[in-house]
Amino acid sequence: MSRLRRNSLETYVAKQPKIESSKVAYEGACEKLDSPVVWSEVSIVIPSRDKPEHLTALWHAGLSSVCSQGAQVIIVDHASEMPATAKTLMDLAEQGVQVVRAEGPFNFSRLINFGVKASDRTQLVLLNDDVAPTSIDAFQTLLRTSKAFPNRISGGVLVYPQGGVQHAGLVLGMGGLVGHFGRGLPIESTLMEAWIKPHRAVSAVTGAVMALSRNLFDQLYGFDEGLFVECGDVDLCLRAAALTTESCILVGDSIWTHPEMSSRGSPSRGPFARRIQIDRAKFMIRWGQALACDPFLDRHLRRDSEMPKHAWPSFRGE
């Protein structure tokens, strides 16, 4: 890419909607963004099945700290069978973690709803068991943003353990369904820094790291349990936008590592492959029209690739 074209692309990316351009009075929310987190108002829900090493790593990466400060931590144990898992869960329970048991076939949406039903706080954080905050600030900035914008769903930035960006907001229609803008690019690159900082309005965020008010979650009746494995998080975000007319928020300073699909494996094979096809078909039936255009992606950027590219000039990906 020539220097002229690269600089032009960076300009387009930098001009994508920041949260300041939203209908929410950003200036009024800034004071709340600086306020301390009240951990006694927070419930953290984490579904898990026979991954004690994930839970232990997350605990030492920051979960223990927020639990000791008063956050309610709920692990939804999906029919785990390994003795090592039982021991880990027992150890965590002794340190204040609430463990609830769920049986039946894997259904991510049902596990989240089950965990939220067991919670009793006003702020929710939903986490995969295999994520890890890069610092304690990742928790705090996510929760401050969620509380400042109670009608919105907030999400963190995910990076691969090797350092490339995995998730920086979801783009509707990218790759034919939903895609991750800039997946694989270095997070410190000029393009990604322009994209994620400080808070960006996006159509959807991943359920791997998500925060919202309990009130909004209840208004939406939680995750759609008809979407077992995939698309439940995007569906929740789109239903929230339809209800409140507000976008989701990508919190650029809330950065988490995530070895993608380490909990359930590749979607192209294994026991979930058929279920994923069904989930995607249901999602397309419900939201296919919305995928025609993402309001938070400049029309000069292509949607046929997760790599940032100009729509030069005959193809715009719409």
Side-chain angles (χ1 to χ4, degrees):
M1 184 182 294
S2 69
R3 183 175 181 181
L4 176 61
R5 181 173 294 190
R6 182 176 64 252
N7 290 343
S8 179
L9 181 57
E10 291 168 0
T11 300
Y12 278 127
V13 169
K15 287 183 178 179
Q16 299 303 294
K18 303 293 185 181
I19 202 64
E20 295 95 322
S21 65
S22 69
K23 297 177 183 178
V24 172
Y26 182 77
E27 294 78 8
C30 281
E31 295 180 3
K32 294 182 180 180
L33 290 173
D34 293 330
S35 62
V37 174
V38 182
W39 291 108
S40 60
E41 298 176 349
V42 178
S43 292
I44 302 172
V45 176
I46 309 165
S48 186
R49 176 184 169 89
D50 276 330
K51 294 293 183 181
E53 68 279 11
H54 290 173
L55 294 174
T56 300
L58 178 55
W59 180 256
H60 292 299
L63 198 61
S64 61
S65 176
V66 301
C67 184
S68 67
Q69 295 179 70
Q72 179 185 41
V73 178
I74 299 173
I75 295 176
V76 183
D77 174 32
H78 177 223
S80 292
E81 299 176 346
M82 292 169 48
T85 304
K87 183 180 185 307
T88 297
L89 292 175
M90 185 179 298
D91 291 344
L92 292 175
E94 290 176 353
Q95 298 180 75
V97 173
Q98 184 176 340
V99 179
V100 295
R101 176 93 173 176
E103 303 289 348
F106 177 79
N107 183 326
F108 180 81
S109 296
R110 181 174 65 87
L111 295 176
I112 289 291
N113 291 345
F114 189 66
V116 171
K117 186 176 180 180
S119 70
D120 58 8
R121 309 292 174 86
T122 59
Q123 295 292 315
L124 295 174
V125 177
L126 312 178
L127 298 178
N128 280 13
D129 64 358
D130 56 348
V131 300
T134 56
S135 71
I136 194 63
D137 289 341
F139 273 110
Q140 294 173 343
T141 55
L142 183 69
L143 281 161
R144 287 171 182 155
T145 304
S146 178
K147 189 167 184 178
F149 300 97
N151 292 327
R152 297 170 180 253
I153 297 175
S154 300
V157 176
L158 303 187
V159 296
Y160 293 107
Q162 298 79 9
V165 171
Q166 180 188 127
H167 169 79
L170 289 160
V171 178
L172 301 180
M174 182 167 279
L177 190 68
V178 180
H180 297 266
F181 181 88
R183 189 205 296 257
L185 287 177
I187 192 169
E188 67 275 7
S189 66
T190 303
L191 281 170
M192 293 316 298
E193 283 193 352
W195 177 263
I196 69 175
K197 302 291 186 179
H199 297 82
R200 175 169 294 282
V202 293
S203 291
V205 294
T206 176
V209 177
M210 177 183 285
L212 70 163
S213 71
R214 175 63 184 269
N215 180 59
L216 179 57
F217 188 91
D218 288 344
Q219 287 185 68
L220 298 171
Y221 300 99
F223 276 61
D224 180 356
E225 297 184 15
L227 298 170
F228 281 46
V229 183
E230 280 198 358
C231 302
D233 47 4
V234 184
D235 173 76
L236 185 79
C237 291
L238 295 180
R239 286 190 286 119
L243 176 69
T244 67
T245 69
E246 306 288 1
S247 70
C248 292
I249 303 174
L250 178 71
V251 185
D253 291 327
S254 182
I255 303 174
W256 305 66
T257 59
H258 182 223
E260 190 173 35
M261 290 181 287
S262 63
S263 292
R264 59 179 174 85
S266 171
S268 62
R269 58 184 184 273
F272 300 122
R274 176 57 180 162
R275 185 64 245 181
I276 288 172
Q277 292 178 352
I278 295 172
D279 287 348
R280 290 176 178 177
K282 286 184 175 181
F283 181 83
M284 285 295 293
I285 291 171
R286 180 177 298 170
W287 297 109
Q289 187 172 357
L291 302 184
C293 179
D294 190 305
F296 302 105
L297 186 74
D298 189 282
R299 67 188 184 91
H300 295 93
L301 294 174
R302 295 172 61 154
R303 293 190 300 139
D304 64 330
S305 170
E306 292 181 324
M307 287 292 100
K309 297 179 181 178
H310 270 305
W312 295 107
S314 59
F315 180 81
R316 298 188 184 278
E318 298 180 0

